[in-house]
């Protein structure tokens, strides 16, 4: 993503089309509130959606703006405002002025309520992956203050989920297009939200390690790192997703427990890091994983079972693993994995994977079909015969 090129277009008066593919596709126009002009506001109003100004909720409350009732996870609306010196507040020129005065940091006394510019409070992209939060991070990435004008794009029929219409609009007006996923990746790279909380000895049957717990403000899960020092500049690293049934209960339905044991043996011998990630069931959680097992007992394979429950075949993400490695001062690794997608995900975030080391697991009569599905449907490169 060429952020400098996008900023140049913004400074030339072009709004950004911010899209979200996660919610059945939704597209908004976004523009820095601090440089709002009547022309830009008028163009945004032509989208027929609700023109709003986004700001950090904490900042809004500190300045005394009034929140409206909302359910957890929904957009946080505050009471609409007009700059007090405006006439009616409804014109494009007056709404642009209201936006600029809000960015200036004026207190609530300088505005009238309810006004014609709707206010939205962002709670952080780590807590909510919505357009409100995405617009604020996008402003910061581009070097503007954390205030954005935002309006949903509606097509000729008033529909807000028309991908073709939104992308055609961007093409016709030469507007830059940004995906919230791109903003999220940049957010993860720019802001360190995982820090070491505790570091203790961990003697095991595989060898003596240290175990590290983290304060995690990124995905708020309890991940851990098991390390064997010294591990050098390019350590051996295993990113291992938690598997209660395989790791703890010695289930023969998967190869997770044997992969964990073999990885710890390898790391004990030459030093390295094992990241133990709270991503049970390839990210769907323990309850859903057991439900998927139930479907597998009825004949579905592991991919079909996940999809039958409305999940993707693999919902794991690796932003937390990236930040954990960065916290440990690691940027280049030799990755223990059979999954090329895992290496690719880490590389996209900025970790250099200099070598992929096969992760051997135990083959049993109970997991042979499971392993074949991993190989044929998920692209895993297994080092053992199945």
């Amino acid at each position: 993503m060429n952020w400098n090129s996008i900023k140049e277009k913004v400074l030339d008066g072009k709004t950004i089309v911010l899209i979200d593919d996660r919610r059945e596709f939704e597209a908004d126009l976004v523009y820095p509130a601090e440089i709002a002009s009547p022309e830009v506001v008028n163009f945004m109003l032509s989208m027929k959606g609700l023109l709003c100004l986004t700001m950090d909720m904490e900042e809004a409350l500190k300045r005394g703006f009034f929140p409206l009732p909302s359910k957890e996870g929904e957009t946080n609306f505050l009471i609409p405002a007009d700059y007090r010196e405006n006439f009616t507040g409804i014109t494009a020129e007056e709404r642009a002025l209201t936006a600029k005065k809000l960015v200036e940091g004026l207190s609530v006394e300088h505005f009238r309520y309810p006004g014609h510019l709707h206010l939205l409070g962002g709670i952080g992209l780590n807590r909510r992956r919505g357009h409100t939060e995405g617009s604020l991070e996008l402003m910061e990435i581009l070097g503007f203050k954390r205030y954005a004008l935002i309006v949903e794009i509606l097509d000729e029929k008033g529909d807000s989920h028309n991908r073709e219409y939104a992308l055609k609009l961007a093409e016709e007006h030469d507007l830059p297009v940004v995906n919230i996923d791109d903003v999220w990746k940049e957010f993860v790279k720019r802001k360190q939200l995982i820090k070491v909380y505790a570091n203790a000895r961990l003697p095991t049957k595989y060898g003596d390690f240290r175990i590290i717990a983290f304060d995690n403000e990124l995905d708020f899960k309890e991940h851990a790192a098991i390390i064997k020092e010294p591990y050098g500049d390019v350590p051996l690293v295993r990113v291992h997703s938690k598997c209660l049934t395989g790791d703890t209960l010695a289930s023969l339905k998967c190869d997770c427990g044997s992969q964990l044991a073999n990885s710890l043996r390898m790391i004990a011998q030459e030093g390295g890091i094992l990241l133990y990630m709270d991503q049970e069931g390839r990210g769907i959680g323990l309850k859903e994983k057991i439900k998927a097992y139930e479907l597998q007992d009825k004949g579905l394979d592991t991919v079909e079972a996940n999809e039958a429950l409305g999940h993707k075949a693999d919902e794991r993400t690796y932003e937390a693993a990236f930040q954990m490695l960065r916290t440990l001062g690691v940027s280049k690794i030799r990755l223990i994995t059979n999954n090329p997608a895992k290496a690719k995900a880490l590389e996209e975030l900025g970790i250099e994977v200099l070598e992929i080391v096969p992760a051997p697991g135990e083959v049993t009569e109970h997991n042979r079909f499971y392993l074949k599905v991993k190989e044929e449907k998920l692209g895993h490169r297994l080092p053992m015969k199945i």
Side-chain angles (χ1 to χ4, degrees):
M1 185 62 62
N2 189 335
W3 300 112
N4 288 331
S5 174
I6 292 170
K7 184 172 183 178
E8 286 175 9
K9 286 195 172 186
V10 167
L11 291 173
D12 198 33
K14 303 288 187 181
T15 55
I16 299 168
V17 177
L18 182 61
I19 65 175
D20 182 4
D21 287 312
R22 292 171 176 266
R23 297 186 295 176
E24 301 177 341
F25 187 81
E26 185 178 315
D28 289 14
L29 289 187
V30 175
Y31 196 77
E34 67 183 279
I35 57 171
S37 67
E39 293 76 20
V40 167
V41 169
N42 193 46
F43 177 69
M44 296 181 79
L45 288 170
S46 72
M47 297 300 106
K48 298 181 288 190
L50 189 67
L51 181 67
C52 302
L53 178 138
T54 64
M55 60 195 300
D56 286 303
M57 192 66 168
E58 186 178 348
E59 173 68 15
L61 296 177
K62 188 189 302 180
R63 286 167 55 185
F65 291 102
F66 324 124
L68 298 174
S70 63
K71 293 180 181 178
E72 186 176 352
E74 292 184 347
T75 304
N76 292 299
F77 278 87
L78 299 107
I79 193 165
D82 282 335
Y83 181 50
R84 187 169 287 280
E85 294 183 19
N86 280 342
F87 179 51
T88 65
I90 198 170
T91 66
E93 182 176 6
E94 288 181 320
R95 285 196 241 194
L97 181 59
T98 296
K100 288 183 174 180
K101 292 301 179 180
L102 285 162
V103 176
E104 285 180 16
L106 296 182
S107 60
V108 292
E109 292 81 9
H110 292 86
F111 300 90
R112 296 195 304 262
Y113 311 93
H116 295 90
L117 187 58
H118 295 265
L119 308 183
L120 305 179
I123 59 173
L125 203 57
N126 51 333
R127 290 181 169 84
R128 182 177 180 274
R129 197 91 64 91
H131 275 88
T132 299
E133 290 74 19
S135 70
L136 296 176
E137 294 304 329
L138 180 55
M139 293 303 97
E140 185 172 322
I141 290 167
L142 296 177
F144 297 103
K145 294 179 181 177
R146 291 176 62 89
Y147 299 82
L149 286 174
I150 187 168
V151 64
E152 197 162 353
I153 299 171
L154 305 183
D155 64 15
E156 299 95 333
K157 296 180 180 179
D159 185 6
S160 63
H161 294 80
N162 190 331
R163 168 187 279 275
E164 185 179 345
Y165 180 85
L167 296 180
K168 185 179 178 183
L169 177 81
E171 184 179 355
E172 287 177 352
H173 294 274
D174 190 28
L175 307 179
V177 177
V178 177
N179 196 303
I180 284 183
D181 284 345
D182 296 322
V183 178
W184 169 251
K185 285 178 183 177
E186 188 67 20
F187 170 79
V188 170
K189 292 175 185 178
R190 289 163 61 93
K191 296 188 176 179
Q192 187 62 35
L193 296 173
I194 294 182
K195 300 174 183 177
V196 172
Y197 176 73
N199 183 335
R201 280 187 63 242
L202 183 69
T204 76
K205 66 180 182 180
Y206 307 109
D208 288 341
F209 299 91
R210 297 197 70 81
I211 185 166
I212 297 174
F214 298 89
D215 269 330
N216 179 3
E217 293 289 318
L218 183 65
D219 63 12
F220 305 97
K221 295 180 180 179
E222 290 198 323
H223 309 300
I226 296 91
I227 66 173
K228 177 69 174 181
E229 297 175 311
Y231 49 67
D233 295 331
V234 188
L236 194 61
V237 171
R238 167 71 179 168
V239 181
H240 187 89
S241 297
K242 175 182 175 183
C243 177
L244 173 68
T245 49
D247 298 343
T248 307
L249 302 177
S251 167
L252 300 178
K253 289 173 70 78
C254 64
D255 59 339
C256 301
S258 54
Q259 281 191 324
L260 175 63
N262 289 332
S263 297
L264 286 171
R265 288 190 186 99
M266 294 162 70
I267 289 170
Q269 288 175 3
E270 61 174 283
I273 301 167
L274 187 140
L275 301 182
Y276 196 75
M277 310 301 296
D278 186 6
Q279 299 194 125
E280 184 84 46
R282 296 200 201 102
I284 67 174
L286 180 61
K287 183 172 72 172
E288 288 293 88
K289 172 181 160 179
I290 303 304
K291 187 66 176 177
Y293 276 178
E294 184 180 311
L295 295 178
Q296 289 171 51
D297 288 343
K298 296 176 181 177
L300 274 63
D301 67 37
T302 179
V303 170
E304 292 167 344
N306 272 26
E307 291 175 345
L309 293 173
H311 300 292
K312 296 177 183 176
D314 190 342
E315 295 192 353
R316 291 175 294 180
T317 61
Y318 297 95
E319 292 90 345
F322 161 72
Q323 288 218 348
M324 290 161 72
L325 289 172
R326 190 164 65 181
T327 296
L328 297 174
V330 173
S331 59
K332 300 177 182 180
I333 64 173
R334 296 163 55 221
L335 184 64
I336 304 173
T337 188
N338 301 326
N339 183 3
K342 190 180 294 186
K344 182 182 177 183
L346 290 170
E347 287 176 327
E348 285 178 353
L349 289 163
I351 297 295
E352 291 186 58
V353 181
L354 300 185
E355 181 185 356
I356 292 181
V357 180
E362 182 181 357
V363 181
T364 73
E365 60 177 300
H366 301 283
N367 72 10
R368 186 171 277 108
F369 178 61
Y370 162 84
L371 292 172
K372 187 171 290 189
V373 171
K374 283 175 77 171
E375 190 172 53
E376 293 176 357
K377 290 192 174 183
L378 298 174
H380 289 215
R381 297 170 184 166
L382 304 182
M384 57 278 192
K385 278 190 175 183
I386 55 171

